Amino acid sequence: MSELKVLFTRQQIAARVAELGAQITRDFAGEPVTLIGVLKGAAIFLSDLSRNIDLDATFDFISVSSYGNEKQNSGEVKMVKDVDQSMEGKNVILVEDILDTGLTLSYLKKILEAHKPKSLRIAALLDKSARRIQPIHAEYVGFEIPDEFVVGYGMDYAERYRNLADICVVP
Ligand code: IMP
Ligand code: MG
């Protein structure tokens, strides 16, 4: 683990997540929201973000598999676990760890739009916009990052390092 280099400290993450939560609270002013976390990477971000949102909020989780482990993403996305309830008429915020090629969120957005939500927005902790294949925009972004592989704060490399409190770069 000593070869990992810290990119964002736990304090930097906490400060930025608090700002995102405050922004969401202002944007939805008094309306209920449903946060949908993309398992497993977004679990920690969702738990911190939700506690910075001062609105009536519910959680749901979705799980997709991207056919390819570790650093490679083949580009194909398959639903492993869908939402438990219909999102019809709800203010849905899809909560994701990283917006990378955009394939995962484009796929999920299409599926959720079919539920006819009242609104559908994306909150991504990190955005690697240089890697985008599918044009997709997140309304709430924690940090823009360069094309590097990162772990920690929920994010993994072959399922390891999710429990690191800081976000680190894998060399
Ligand atoms: P997509 O390429 O935008 O579809 O992103 C797919 C998924 O790849 C993200 O949700 C992350 O789980 C994962 N991913 C992309 N870049 C990284 C990284 O640097 N570290 C860990 N996971 C990543
Ligand atoms: Mg993910």
Side-chain angles (χ1 to χ4, degrees):
M1 293 232 268
S2 55
E3 75 274 21
L4 299 176
K5 201 177 106 251
V6 175
L7 183 62
F8 298 111
T9 64
R10 60 203 76 186
Q11 292 84 1
Q12 289 174 305
I13 299 166
R16 187 66 188 124
V17 171
E19 286 175 357
L20 293 178
Q23 199 184 334
I24 290 170
T25 303
R26 282 194 304 274
D27 289 356
F28 288 91
E31 290 196 43
V33 294
T34 298
L35 305 174
I36 302 182
V38 185
L39 295 171
K40 301 172 229 174
I44 294 177
F45 176 41
L46 184 144
S47 74
D48 283 345
L49 180 66
S50 66
R51 285 177 291 175
N52 283 283
I53 295 176
D54 189 14
L55 298 170
D56 177 4
T58 54
F59 294 178
D60 210 328
F61 293 93
I62 212 161
S63 182
V64 292
S65 129
S66 55
Y67 295 107
N69 205 9
E70 311 190 354
K71 291 185 174 183
Q72 274 308 317
N73 185 342
S74 68
E76 276 181 90
V77 183
K78 178 181 76 170
M79 177 79 76
V80 175
K81 184 214 166 291
D82 204 343
V83 287
D84 295 334
Q85 288 173 342
S86 170
M87 294 295 142
E88 187 174 350
K90 296 186 174 166
N91 291 312
V92 174
I93 304 176
L94 254 173
V95 180
E96 176 63 306
D97 52 1
I98 300 196
L99 182 47
D100 185 26
T101 63
L103 293 166
T104 305
L105 283 175
S106 306
Y107 170 81
L108 290 177
K109 219 178 155 181
K110 208 181 300 166
I111 284 176
L112 290 168
E113 263 159 6
H115 287 237
K116 305 210 182 310
K118 180 176 181 191
S119 64
L120 178 56
R121 292 189 178 188
I122 293 173
L125 178 63
L126 304 177
D127 187 359
K128 279 190 207 177
S129 55
R131 300 241 319 151
R132 203 77 87 250
I133 292 172
Q134 280 285 332
I136 185 153
H137 168 75
E139 285 78 8
Y140 307 101
V141 172
F143 304 98
E144 183 72 39
I145 63 164
D147 183 10
E148 306 224 56
F149 200 86
V150 297
V151 294
Y153 197 73
M155 294 169 284
D156 74 307
Y157 176 49
E159 296 301 326
R160 294 179 64 205
Y161 308 122
R162 292 193 193 274
N163 61 321
L164 297 181
D166 304 317
I167 295 175
C168 301
V169 173
V170 179

